[in-house]
Amino acid sequence: MGVGFGGIYLPAIVSVATWFDKRRALAMGIAVCGSGIGIFALSNLIPIFMEEYGLHGTLLLEGAIVFNALIFSALLRPLPTRKAVKADKSDRRSSVELENLDSKHAIARKEAEAAAARAAESKVSHKV
């Protein structure tokens, strides 16, 4: 039963975490509460099953319930992935080109920071 509950709980929590971007915390809370409610309901049914079916029948019923839930948890699907667009040879860039592009961006960023610093200094010098 422990393996069955583990096989039910983990996929449900992981699928909720991957499917929800907005209000993920609320969705995770509902998913976790659902497992607690299920365990609460099953623990109230065990004495009834024990009286009606005995120990052997109760364990068979619990196993059947968990097995059915395990099958449904196996049906959970991951997020659909975006189709990868095949690039032509003309679209591919070498690592050297990408490094040059990164260095150009870094230089432009430094120049923009220096210009912002000069503008801030000129505002300060005009006030004084």
Side-chain angles (χ1 to χ4, degrees):
M1 293 246 311
V3 173
F5 282 126
I8 295 166
Y9 183 76
L10 186 64
I13 298 302
V14 169
S15 65
V16 167
T18 56
W19 274 96
F20 288 91
D21 288 331
K22 295 179 181 177
R23 300 184 185 221
R24 181 177 291 164
L26 178 65
M28 293 287 289
I30 291 171
V32 171
C33 286
S35 65
I37 290 170
I39 292 172
F40 179 74
L42 190 60
S43 68
N44 287 332
L45 290 175
I46 289 174
I48 297 168
F49 290 159
M50 287 289 287
E51 288 179 16
E52 194 69 31
Y53 302 108
L55 179 63
H56 184 70
T58 301
L59 292 176
L60 283 174
L61 280 171
E62 285 182 8
I65 291 169
V66 171
F67 184 70
N68 283 322
L70 187 61
I71 289 172
F72 283 110
S73 71
L75 296 175
L76 295 174
R77 297 286 177 234
L79 281 172
T81 58
R82 294 183 181 162
K83 293 181 181 178
V85 178
K86 290 185 178 180
D88 294 337
K89 288 184 179 180
S90 62
D91 292 341
R92 295 182 187 160
R93 293 184 177 179
S94 69
S95 60
V96 173
E97 289 174 331
L98 291 175
E99 287 176 10
N100 289 338
L101 188 62
D102 286 341
S103 64
K104 288 178 185 177
H105 284 290
I107 291 169
R109 190 175 333 134
K110 287 180 183 177
E111 289 175 355
E113 289 172 358
R118 284 192 302 269
E121 287 177 10
S122 66
K123 286 183 183 179
V124 170
S125 65
H126 288 296
K127 289 182 181 179
V128 175

